[in-house]
């Protein structure tokens, strides 16, 4: 056996006090939620200062593939940032202008989710609202990440999904333009995104949704709270009758009949906190 050779790295040290200013990157979680809400809005929406990273760019590309227009916002002033942007170490990022759309009825669409759990779990419900056949796949690692509970839940709510019985990627959503909605129970102990992925699209379901979690504690419960706050800010009603790590009943009534579906007009993305403009 050969002894392992470990490379050493000389840690830089300052000779005196160091001062500087940095700009924290925007939130990936907020950016992806804003993208989905904007794609389901009935009017154009702006997302100011979105995070442009692999996961959010994959989400934007997936929505484009499903007919939504996601374009640089010509009215949003560029924000200079320091950090990695598409492989660069410096540059600027502008906002996005998002206009909801649909792929041609009967078309076949492929969505690359990479290794982004938010894309894999947030967009099947959006795909089910189209009239296209949408195939989801990505990196090898994504095929090992939990998605089965949300696919099963969507089936219970009236969506048609073919996953070959795997409960994992790759899978295909056979959209027929609507999702019935209603009450559903799932085990979201694998990821809070399994609940958020249903909540985000629920105002567009015919009957809205009533979600109950049954199983071990849901991780990252604050991210569900983030989803609820952003839905409410977008004009959707969300009723949480109780809350704990093991039992989460949430009710989202259908939006369109009251004209109060997800209607974000402008999101400003900041580190860890969404704001409407």
């Amino acid at each position: 056996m050969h002894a392992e050779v470990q490379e050493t790295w000389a840690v830089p040290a300052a000779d005196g006090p160091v001062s500087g200013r940095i700009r924290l990157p925007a939130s990936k979680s907020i950016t992806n939620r804003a993208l989905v809400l904007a794609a389901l809005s009935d009017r154009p929406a702006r997302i100011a200062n979105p995070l442009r990273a692999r996961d959010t760019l994959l989400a934007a590309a997936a929505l484009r593939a499903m007919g939504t227009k996601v374009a640089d916002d010509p009215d949003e002033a560029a924000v200079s940032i320091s950090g990695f942007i598409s492989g660069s170490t410096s540059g600027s990022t502008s906002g996005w202008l998002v206009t909801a759309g649909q792929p041609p009825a009967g078309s076949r669409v492929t969505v690359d989710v990479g290794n982004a759990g938010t894309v894999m779990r947030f967009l099947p419900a959006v795909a089910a609202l189209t009239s296209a056949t949408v195939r989801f796949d990505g990196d090898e690692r994504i095929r090992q990440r939990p998605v089965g509970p949300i696919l099963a839940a969507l089936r219970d709510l009236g969506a048609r999904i073919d996953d070959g019985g795997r409960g994992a990627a790759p899978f295909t959503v056979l959209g027929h333009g609507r999702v019935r909605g209603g009450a559903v129970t799932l085990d979201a102990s694998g990821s809070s995104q399994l609940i958020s992925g249903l909540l985000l699209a629920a105002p567009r379901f015919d009957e809205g949704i009533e979600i109950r979690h049954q199983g071990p504690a849901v991780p990252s419960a604050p991210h569900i709270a983030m989803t609820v706050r952003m839905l409410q800010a977008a004009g959707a009603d969300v009723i949480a009758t109780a809350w704990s790590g093991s039992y989460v009943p949430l009710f989202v009534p259908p939006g369109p009949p009251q004209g109060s579906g997800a209607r974000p007009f402008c999101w400003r993305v900041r580190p860890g906190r969404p704001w409407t403009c």
Side-chain angles (χ1 to χ4, degrees), residues 214-246:
Q214 196 167 46
V218 179
S220 303
H223 283 84
I224 299 176
M226 176 190 292
T227 301
V228 169
R229 289 196 302 270
M230 292 185 69
L231 274 162
Q232 291 170 334
D237 293 325
V238 185
I239 303 167
T241 56
W243 186 277
S244 76
S246 59

Side-chain angles (χ1 to χ4, degrees), residues 6 27 68 72 81 99 116 121 135-136 163 193 212 267 271:
Q6 295 184 344
S27 165
T68 291
D72 289 339
I81 67 171
T99 306
R121 299 175 188 127
R135 184 176 189 272
F136 289 78
D163 62 2
Q193 294 171 4
R212 293 177 181 270
W267 292 105

Side-chain angles (χ1 to χ4, degrees), residues 23 49 52 73-81 91-95 268:
R23 181 184 296 274
N49 191 40
R52 300 208 183 202
D73 186 355
D75 294 331
E76 175 70 18
V79 179
S80 297
I81 67 171
S92 64
T93 182
S94 62
R268 184 169 298 281

Side-chain angles (χ1 to χ4, degrees), residues 142-229:
I142 203 69
R143 300 180 181 185
Q144 303 169 22
R145 301 182 66 182
V147 71
I150 196 171
L151 301 183
L154 284 168
R155 288 192 191 96
D156 290 344
L157 296 169
R160 295 172 57 204
I161 300 173
D162 178 12
D163 62 2
R166 295 179 304 276
F171 57 86
T172 301
V173 179
L174 307 168
H176 52 275
R178 56 185 290 269
V179 174
R180 184 189 68 250
V184 69
T185 299
L186 75 159
D187 180 356
S189 59
S191 172
S192 65
Q193 294 171 4
L194 299 167
I195 290 178
S196 289
L198 296 172
L199 286 174
L200 287 167
R204 293 304 184 200
F205 296 170
D206 295 347
E207 300 175 14
I209 199 170
E210 181 179 344
I211 303 175
R212 293 177 181 270
H213 162 69
Q214 196 167 46
V218 179
S220 303
H223 283 84
I224 299 176
M226 176 190 292
T227 301
V228 169
R229 289 196 302 270

Side-chain angles (χ1 to χ4, degrees), residues 69-169:
K69 184 178 180 182
V70 183
D72 289 339
D73 186 355
D75 294 331
E76 175 70 18
V79 179
S80 297
I81 67 171
S82 176
F84 290 94
I85 306 175
S86 300
S88 299
T89 57
S90 64
S92 64
T93 182
S94 62
W96 277 324
L97 180 62
V98 183
T99 306
Q102 290 275 330
S107 61
R108 302 185 69 86
V109 174
T110 298
V111 167
D112 176 13
V113 305
N115 191 32
T118 49
V119 181
M120 179 177 67
R121 299 175 188 127
F122 285 6
L123 296 189
V126 177
L129 291 166
T130 74
S131 296
T133 297
V134 185
R135 184 176 189 272
F136 289 78
D137 201 3
D139 298 351
E140 189 66 29
R141 175 69 179 91
I142 203 69
R143 300 180 181 185
Q144 303 169 22
R145 301 182 66 182
V147 71
I150 196 171
L151 301 183
L154 284 168
R155 288 192 191 96
D156 290 344
L157 296 169
R160 295 172 57 204
I161 300 173
D162 178 12
D163 62 2
R166 295 179 304 276

